[in-house]
Amino acid sequence: YDLSVSTYSPDGRVFQVEYAQKAVDNSGTAIGLRVKGGVVLAVEKIKHSRLLVPNSNKRIMTAGKHIGVASAGWMSDTRHLVKRTRDEAHNYHDIYKTNVPAKIIAERMGMYVQAYTLYSAVRPFGVSTILACIDEDGPQLYMIEPSGQYVGYRGCAAGKGKQAAKTEIEKLNLEELTVREAVKEAARIIYAAHDDAKDKLFELELSWICEESNNLHTHVPQDVLDEAIEHAEKALDDDDEMEDDEE
């Protein structure tokens, strides 16, 4: 039953979709935080070699002036879906002369991803994408899974550290956080979810879409990134000291 994505197992499962989700769960952690002033995206980009050029192969991309995409899973699939998101946003703007609302772009991309779970000639996308957007209703955050399911969130996580990240996100009062505070918290959560035993090298990517960025999706400025990393490392050291004291 796992040879074709168009075949159900007797207990109603589609194994190829589950395998695609496993590819996501083996990837670096990606999170999104929707706060009162905007949306923050953060990604733990695993570095498989010290020879990689810093800031290359970004896992957070811009799919439209007001749309950001963070991903966990296969990078090649991510690029394909980001291109499709750009095309959908551009086509909507051409027809309606306005930016595409977050719910519409999430719905269209969810339908596109789900179409790849219906035919035996294709395979599901091995990536979960987190869409950050600002529209007439304010900041919006959606996650699209390999099954094509899309859900709106205040905070979400994907990748190998998603359980640890979700636990930390649930502790936050997202409705009261500012975007600057959310950037620091996002960095702290990525560092807390990172597994030093398996992946020593990683690079933190952070982006936001808020009033400070003129409601455009951009990577955070370098000084803000450095401050967030310093905050995350300090929080991690404090946690280690507390554990040593308890022992």
Side-chain angles (χ1 to χ4, degrees):
Y1 296 103
D2 64 351
L3 296 179
S4 171
V5 73
S6 61
T7 304
Y8 281 99
S9 70
D11 56 350
R13 297 163 65 184
V14 181
F15 287 110
Q16 287 293 327
V17 174
E18 294 183 19
Y19 298 159
Q21 183 61 52
K22 189 64 177 176
V24 174
D25 293 340
N26 288 333
S27 174
T29 309
I31 67 170
L33 302 178
R34 173 186 163 192
V35 295
K36 64 180 180 180
V39 185
V40 173
L41 299 176
V43 169
E44 169 203 19
K45 186 174 72 177
I46 304 300
K47 297 174 70 175
H48 300 290
S49 170
R50 294 182 183 275
L51 301 178
L52 288 174
V53 177
N55 298 319
S56 62
N57 299 318
K58 291 186 179 295
R59 298 196 73 96
I60 299 180
M61 306 182 195
T62 299
K65 290 183 178 180
H66 68 303
I67 304 171
V69 179
S71 68
W74 283 40
M75 195 64 202
S76 53
D77 286 4
T78 299
R79 293 192 183 101
H80 179 88
L81 289 180
V82 169
K83 182 181 183 302
R84 179 71 184 198
T85 306
R86 288 169 180 160
D87 291 343
E88 291 286 356
H90 182 72
N91 291 340
Y92 187 95
H93 191 276
D94 277 353
I95 295 171
Y96 300 106
K97 309 304 179 188
T98 186
N99 290 331
V100 60
K103 185 176 181 180
I104 299 297
I105 193 66
E107 179 182 15
R108 290 189 179 186
M109 291 310 300
M111 291 171 63
Y112 182 76
V113 171
Q114 192 261 344
Y116 278 71
T117 69
L118 300 176
Y119 308 105
S120 58
V122 297
R123 67 162 176 80
F125 290 103
V127 62
S128 284
T129 53
I130 301 175
L131 292 178
C133 184
I134 284 188
D135 57 20
E136 293 179 352
D137 296 324
Q140 305 291 333
L141 180 68
Y142 285 86
M143 184 161 70
I144 303 165
E145 298 181 5
S147 63
Q149 174 176 290
Y150 68 96
V151 182
Y153 289 94
R154 281 204 168 274
C156 61
K160 65 174 63 177
K162 68 178 180 181
Q163 291 302 331
K166 284 179 181 178
T167 300
E168 293 299 320
I169 291 172
E170 288 169 359
K171 297 177 183 177
L172 301 177
N173 185 1
L174 295 172
E175 294 183 6
E176 298 300 324
L177 277 183
T178 65
V179 177
R180 286 267 181 166
E181 290 169 341
V183 167
K184 290 183 179 180
E185 292 298 334
R188 181 185 64 80
I189 291 169
I190 291 293
Y191 270 74
H194 175 69
D195 188 350
D196 268 336
K198 294 181 180 178
D199 305 295
K200 290 290 186 183
L201 298 173
F202 81 101
E203 187 176 329
L204 174 66
E205 280 189 54
L206 281 168
S207 74
W208 61 12
I209 177 168
C210 56
E211 188 175 332
E212 194 167 340
S213 67
N214 295 319
N215 289 337
L216 303 176
H217 177 256
T218 62
H219 281 75
V220 300
Q222 188 61 45
D223 61 322
V224 177
L225 177 62
D226 292 341
E227 188 178 344
I229 291 174
E230 183 181 346
H231 172 80
E233 290 175 344
K234 184 176 185 301
L236 206 60
D237 291 340
D238 291 344
D239 289 342
D240 291 341
E241 288 177 6
M242 289 179 62
E243 290 177 3
D244 292 340
D245 292 341
E246 289 175 359
E247 292 176 359

